[in-house]
Amino acid sequence: MWQRLTNSIQSLKTYEDLSPDLRLRCRINRALRDRPRYRLDRWYQTFWQPLEVSSEVAEFVYQQMEAYSGLTFGYVLPSDRLTEDLNLPLVCWFDWESTLCDDFYDRFEVDISSSFDVANLATIQELVVFLNQQSRLVNYSGESD
């Protein structure tokens, strides 16, 4: 009985460690609300179209990163730093990076799991540009290079 109780307590602690920090998420969302909010089409036209990022990749990042992080991505700017400003490792579920790789494959049929390392990306712009480059690795036959 004590072992079962100890296991239950350990499971709850592990769950807490792997869960998003909801208080931090709320603080970041409150801070972001001081900025103008961009709908997806304006977010793309303002920030990503000039960089020749595909609208599909911009849409993917806008929707998926909001789902992973709980942050309102309409307020997020290309210069926002993934760790220092948005605290993605703390506001997302522990497995958001692998989920992003899976979702990216489902959407673009490109496996980025061996090349995606968020530690090598500092800002939202670097993330979007990286994903855009990866999405273009599909040749005309529909297969990855």
Side-chain angles (χ1 to χ4, degrees):
M1 178 173 135
W2 290 111
Q3 183 62 34
R4 202 181 289 162
L5 179 61
T6 302
N7 287 344
S8 295
I9 291 170
Q10 187 61 35
S11 292
L12 288 173
K13 182 174 176 5
T14 301
Y15 181 79
E16 184 179 316
D17 291 342
L18 301 177
S19 299
D21 184 333
L22 299 179
R23 287 186 181 125
L24 179 58
R25 182 186 284 177
C26 286
R27 281 198 308 267
I28 294 168
N29 269 323
R30 272 195 302 273
L32 291 174
R33 276 187 243 142
D34 290 338
R35 303 173 174 180
R37 183 175 183 176
Y38 294 88
R39 289 187 335 263
L40 173 58
D41 58 336
R42 282 287 282 151
W43 196 71
Y44 169 69
Q45 292 168 354
T46 303
F47 301 122
W48 309 114
Q49 193 172 28
L51 296 177
E52 298 181 0
V53 169
S54 77
S55 60
E56 293 82 11
V57 168
E59 177 183 343
F60 176 84
V61 171
Y62 188 95
Q63 293 172 341
Q64 295 307 123
M65 291 305 297
E66 185 165 314
Y68 306 146
S69 67
L71 301 177
T72 306
F73 245 68
Y75 295 116
V76 172
L77 302 174
S79 60
D80 285 333
R81 296 170 298 174
L82 303 176
T83 302
E84 294 85 351
D85 300 326
L86 302 177
N87 286 284
L88 291 182
L90 299 176
V91 301
C92 295
W93 282 93
F94 75 97
D95 63 345
W96 77 270
E97 295 171 47
S98 63
T99 303
L100 180 137
C101 292
D102 293 343
D103 292 342
F104 194 82
Y105 182 81
D106 291 344
R107 179 83 174 263
F108 298 99
E109 297 182 350
V110 176
D111 182 4
I112 62 169
S113 59
S114 63
S115 58
F116 181 67
D117 183 358
V118 76
N120 294 329
L121 305 170
T123 64
I124 289 295
Q125 181 169 329
E126 289 178 15
L127 173 65
V128 171
V129 168
F130 168 79
L131 294 175
N132 191 63
Q133 290 169 340
Q134 299 304 305
S135 74
R136 294 179 179 195
L137 294 179
V138 175
N139 63 29
Y140 292 107
S141 68
E143 299 174 9
S144 309
D145 289 338

